[in-house]
Amino acid sequence: MASESRMLMRAPMLGAAIAATVFSSAAFAVDFHGYLRSGIGATSGGGDQACFQAAGAPAKYRLGNECETYAEVGFGAELYNQDERSFYLDTMIAYKSNQANDWEAALGDNGDDGNPYDNSVASVRQFNVQAKNVIDALPGATLWAGKRYYKRHDVHINDYYYWDLSGPGAGIEDIDLGFGKLALAWTRNTDGTWVYDGAGTGTNVANDTVDVRLGDLEVNKDGMLELGFDYGSANLSEIQRDDPGFEDQKGYLFTVEHTQGNWFGGFNKLALQYATDGMVGTGHNNSAAGDGDMFRLVDQGVVKLGANTEMMYVAIYEDKDLDAGNGQTWTSFGVRPVYNWNEVMSTALELGYDLVEPQGDGDDADLVKLTLAQQWSAGRSFWARPQLRAFVTYARWDGDVYNAASESIDMGEDDGLTFGFQVEAWW
Amino acid sequence: MKTLVSLPLLCIGLWLATPVQAQPSVPSSAPASCCQTLSTLPFRDLPVGAKLSISISDDTPRFRFDEGDSRFVAFRLPDAGRSFEVTLTSLVAEEVFQPRVLLLDSAMRPTRVFDADAFPYRPARGFAPDALQGRLRIDGERYLIVYTTPYQRSGATRLEHPAKTFARAHGNEPPSIPDPVVPHGDTGLIEIRLDAQGGFAPGQRLLQPLLAVAGTAGAEAAQGTVAPPEAAQEDALPETERYFRGAIDAALSSGDLDRALRLAEEARKAGAEGARSHLLERLQSGLEG
């Protein structure tokens, strides 16, 4: 009987492995991607949920410490693909509200008029086309134009973007040099209204950033290096140039980043940055900035501490040394270990510390934040989402110096306790 | 005195007995095949519109397929005289069951095999995890068997690192880190769905293009199945070619030219080159007649 089955099987098995018929259910597939965080919380002692951030710190540790609803909804599709040449359309609309009402209309003023029913904002943050393989001399390269999140580098646990020149722009990326990949881009930002000779009204100052990146440089086993150079300057109109009372600022930002894979079951990213004058920041030029320079170190990673435990960590040191004496140093450490009880439930602890020391006179501002969260997510990876969380957050700071809370905590208080529920999702 | 002596003896006796008891009672070298022939496999019904999740574990029956011994799941398809579309998903865990699909006609004769290429890696997207996934058209076949092969089990699939998936969803630069590799195995979780082809179920075909979110094309191209080199594709056997000629004839006689063309294309991929010329001849004679 066994031989009978073997005979029956022979024709299809040995003859040929018949290839699959793969269907396309539509003329093109739409990628639906996005991000969401929202929820509800309260402060111990009464009031809406407070969120805690050290005065002057560019970021705060985010677990159980986010008070707004923020969402991004994106649709993308490859609308043309012939002979390996393709055109991809990408779109994304962002939305943010105070998370205070059902109806929070986006009238554009972020609730600044005091009306709690129109406290949200919405913005088209991405709308671009990426054209791949359209330049014969550069196979594999992608030409793009439009509004775009351009190669943003962030730290997840404190939502800090240390290299981000997103905006309207154009460029070419993935130019294969054999030993690495080159990308060139030109992006735009504006930094407020220029005032004619210190008097009359003017127009916005247009700033340009020219970005050159050399990435995918293999320097050690599973280790990659990326080198970045950004030049930012104001792109002045004739009347702006002729205004003797107006001085524009420009600057450079250099970035070296090393990414190590297979690092204790995860990875480590170390970035070193140096910037001057108008480019002191994270990638956009500030035409009104003073002279000075900045050094920044960001080291972060995710490691496996055991079969069921992963931890993200970050250390940041940033020194802004400004000629006007109004710079500062910012030191920040954070860890978020997550223990997975099973495929869908985990417990996360997040401990974050920030210290801001003014360059001149003035008090230091420091803050410790601790959050315990029980989480439910689709899968057990550190990155698995969506994630529903029940959290308790405690923060401590020096109330004689400043108030670290966004609301519900009185001036002079040294600490605060909040609790609530949040969902965070990306897809 | 006697008890004092016997106690250590008892201990030694237990110590000796333990390894003996640990011996497996069933020889592990040759796993038992559940059945003698394909026709006696335990088939379960797969109705139209059904979506089944099936765990392939130590309890799953085995069969000696031509390509080797494998755990399998066998389905009986509806007899509706029309085409169906099957979506087969194998979810990635510590290992992944890389599927292979054998179709049988109503007389339990094998008609087609879909090999590993039909079930490429689908990166995690939406809230769905990493998986191997393929969609197959069923043309009149009545039985579908999901299994794998010792050869396939020796391979592995390179996944996209979840930190990169996150970065892409978030519009961030993905970290330049190596992607994890998951070995193929003979356990796993598969999901199978049967849809009527060309049916118009609201919320299914209409919304599918929107909801069936595809991963970014570039990322999918960069990932893929890592398998040992496979033998070069051979010409199809005459039986295979005969099957396709018959199916093309049937499609033409029912006036379904689209299906006939698709069959010819499938036949070409399968190495049955003659099916295409057969179709052209039939069309030619139809025009002349």
Side-chain angles (χ1 to χ4, degrees):
Chain A
M1 288 303 274
S3 63
E4 182 196 348
S5 81
R6 218 159 278 144
M7 271 172 58
L8 282 169
M9 301 284 292
R10 190 164 295 145
M13 295 301 178
L14 300 181
I18 295 180
T21 315
V22 181
F23 294 85
S24 57
S25 58
F28 53 86
V30 174
D31 302 332
F32 174 37
H33 50 90
Y35 173 83
L36 162 71
R37 66 167 179 265
S38 187
I40 185 166
T43 301
S44 174
D48 195 4
Q49 181 191 349
C51 284
F52 307 107
Q53 183 163 4
K60 63 180 170 33
Y61 288 89
R62 73 195 302 182
L63 184 65
N65 197 26
E66 291 174 309
C67 290
E68 71 288 317
T69 288
Y70 180 72
E72 296 176 341
V73 175
F75 292 97
E78 187 178 77
L79 296 179
Y80 176 96
N81 190 334
Q82 297 282 319
D83 304 325
E84 306 281 300
R85 298 167 191 267
S86 65
F87 289 82
Y88 189 90
L89 172 73
D90 208 6
T91 69
M92 200 208 77
I93 292 171
Y95 169 88
K96 189 173 85 165
S97 79
N98 290 357
Q99 199 168 281
N101 281 314
D102 165 28
W103 187 262
E104 298 178 289
L107 299 187
D109 63 359
N110 204 12
D112 289 343
D113 64 353
N115 184 346
Y117 299 101
D118 64 6
N119 66 59
S120 75
V121 284
S123 173
V124 175
R125 298 190 70 183
Q126 298 199 78
F127 224 121
N128 62 73
V129 167
Q130 298 155 31
K132 192 173 183 184
N133 279 326
V134 291
I135 300 174
D136 288 338
L138 301 172
T142 298
L143 191 66
W144 65 273
K147 292 195 72 171
R148 190 179 181 197
Y149 283 174
Y150 184 67
K151 298 185 182 294
R152 309 189 306 173
H153 288 256
D154 75 323
V155 179
H156 176 61
I157 57 174
N158 64 350
D159 200 14
Y160 179 55
Y161 284 81
Y162 56 91
W163 195 11
D164 181 10
L165 46 136
S166 298
I172 182 163
E173 61 184 345
D174 291 337
I175 300 172
D176 196 347
L177 300 178
F179 58 91
K181 283 191 172 167
L182 180 70
L184 309 169
W186 170 30
T187 68
R188 167 66 42 81
N189 71 288
T190 182
D191 55 14
T193 305
W194 154 76
V195 179
Y196 177 73
D197 217 358
T201 56
T203 54
N204 281 338
V205 177
N207 287 288
D208 296 320
T209 301
V210 175
D211 178 276
V212 181
R213 289 183 202 201
L214 188 55
D216 281 0
L217 302 168
E218 202 166 349
V219 286
N220 61 311
K221 183 166 164 40
D222 299 329
M224 295 284 203
L225 199 67
E226 182 169 25
L227 307 173
F229 167 73
D230 294 280
Y231 172 70
S233 69
N235 195 332
L236 300 180
S237 65
E238 203 167 325
I239 186 170
Q240 288 169 339
R241 261 199 314 273
D242 292 344
D243 182 349
F246 179 77
E247 283 186 32
D248 65 296
Q249 190 58 277
K250 54 183 177 292
Y252 303 92
L253 169 68
F254 299 91
T255 304
V256 180
E257 182 168 281
H258 180 264
T259 308
Q260 182 65 51
N262 286 325
W263 170 264
F264 299 102
F267 66 92
N268 183 76
K269 258 170 85 167
L270 169 66
L272 300 172
Q273 293 180 302
Y274 176 76
T276 63
D277 308 333
M279 286 297 278
V280 168
T282 57
H284 282 143
N285 189 55
N286 179 359
S287 65
D291 288 337
D293 63 2
M294 180 206 76
F295 169 76
R296 182 189 295 134
L297 178 153
V298 179
D299 187 59
Q300 59 170 319
V302 178
V303 289
K304 245 180 144 51
L305 299 180
N308 296 312
T309 310
E310 281 184 286
M311 183 180 82
M312 182 159 196
Y313 59 87
V314 63
I316 299 170
Y317 177 76
E318 180 190 88
D319 184 357
K320 284 183 183 170
D321 187 1
L322 305 183
D323 292 359
N326 57 348
Q328 65 177 36
T329 61
W330 172 42
T331 310
S332 185
F333 299 101
V335 289
R336 189 196 291 184
V338 181
Y339 178 81
N340 291 286
W341 299 93
N342 54 41
E343 282 300 304
V344 295
M345 189 174 75
S346 61
T347 301
L349 191 74
E350 187 178 86
L351 177 64
Y353 172 73
D354 286 289
L355 169 65
V356 177
E357 298 165 292
Q359 184 184 345
D361 296 336
D363 293 311
D364 296 352
D366 68 343
L367 177 109
V368 177
K369 191 223 74 164
L370 182 67
T371 299
L372 182 67
Q374 193 70 357
Q375 314 183 119
W376 292 266
S377 59
R380 57 163 61 225
S381 154
F382 182 88
W383 306 102
R385 296 296 185 275
Q387 199 159 61
L388 285 107
R389 306 170 174 139
F391 64 84
V392 180
T393 294
Y394 176 76
R396 186 167 184 85
W397 64 94
D398 186 351
D400 293 338
V401 178
Y402 73 108
N403 186 357
S406 58
E407 59 185 311
S408 303
I409 303 273
D410 292 337
M411 196 64 201
E413 295 282 322
D414 287 317
D415 61 357
L417 184 72
T418 62
F419 55 91
F421 295 87
Q422 191 200 35
V423 61
E424 188 182 32
W426 51 71
W427 62 91
Chain B
M1 191 67 191
K2 201 172 184 182
T3 47
L4 280 174
V5 174
S6 63
L7 197 62
L9 280 176
L10 187 66
C11 291
I12 292 168
L14 280 173
W15 177 74
L16 283 173
T18 309
V20 176
Q21 283 170 345
Q23 291 290 329
S25 53
V26 180
S28 60
S29 55
S33 187
C34 79
C35 315
Q36 289 297 307
T37 66
L38 284 174
S39 58
T40 56
L41 297 187
F43 290 95
R44 68 175 86 184
D45 283 322
L46 181 62
V48 177
K51 186 185 173 187
L52 305 178
S53 288
I54 297 159
S55 170
I56 299 178
S57 64
D58 294 343
D59 302 332
T60 307
R62 313 183 73 104
F63 182 72
R64 286 186 181 283
F65 294 92
D66 265 18
E67 304 97 318
D69 171 78
S70 171
R71 295 201 169 97
F72 69 91
V73 188
F75 300 95
R76 189 182 298 108
L77 306 175
D79 178 21
R82 57 191 294 196
S83 294
F84 297 104
E85 187 178 291
V86 165
T87 306
L88 179 66
T89 309
S90 179
L91 300 173
V92 171
E94 296 297 309
E95 61 180 31
V96 62
F97 187 90
Q98 190 191 44
R100 191 175 180 91
V101 164
L102 170 66
L103 296 175
L104 311 180
D105 65 13
S106 57
M108 298 266 178
R109 287 186 305 247
T111 56
R112 291 184 290 162
V113 170
F114 292 91
D115 68 7
D117 291 344
F119 308 98
Y121 171 56
R122 184 211 64 190
R125 57 170 171 72
F127 298 153
D130 286 307
L132 304 178
Q133 189 178 58
R135 298 162 79 186
L136 322 170
R137 195 178 65 239
I138 309 295
D139 281 316
E141 281 104 342
R142 291 297 314 282
Y143 300 94
L144 184 154
I145 303 164
V146 181
Y147 62 111
T148 189
T149 68
Y151 172 77
Q152 284 178 256
R153 283 199 291 272
S154 66
T157 294
R158 185 175 295 278
L159 310 175
E160 181 180 75
H161 196 289
K164 295 184 185 176
T165 313
F166 156 72
R168 283 201 298 110
H170 223 47
N172 295 339
E173 179 74 353
S176 300
I177 51 176
D179 290 304
V181 173
V182 63
H184 298 162
D186 62 353
T187 61
L189 181 68
I190 61 163
E191 291 175 353
I192 190 164
R193 202 180 73 200
L194 182 74
D195 294 313
Q197 179 110 51
F200 191 81
Q204 206 176 73
R205 300 207 64 81
L206 198 61
L207 292 180
Q208 215 165 32
L210 277 182
L211 296 178
V213 190
T216 307
E220 273 183 58
Q223 319 302 323
T225 296
V226 186
E230 201 154 359
Q233 186 151 325
E234 299 171 41
D235 287 344
L237 282 180
E239 294 95 306
T240 312
E241 181 140 341
R242 260 202 302 283
Y243 165 78
F244 276 111
R245 286 179 185 231
I248 287 169
D249 288 345
L252 287 178
S253 58
S254 66
D256 193 345
L257 187 59
D258 181 51
R259 190 169 141 187
L261 286 167
R262 280 179 143 181
L263 282 163
E265 175 62 16
E266 280 185 25
R268 189 188 59 77
K269 287 182 184 165
E273 299 283 352
R276 186 169 169 274
S277 50
H278 174 72
L279 172 64
L280 290 175
E281 279 168 26
R282 286 289 312 267
L283 291 173
Q284 197 79 16
S285 62
L287 288 172
E288 284 163 3

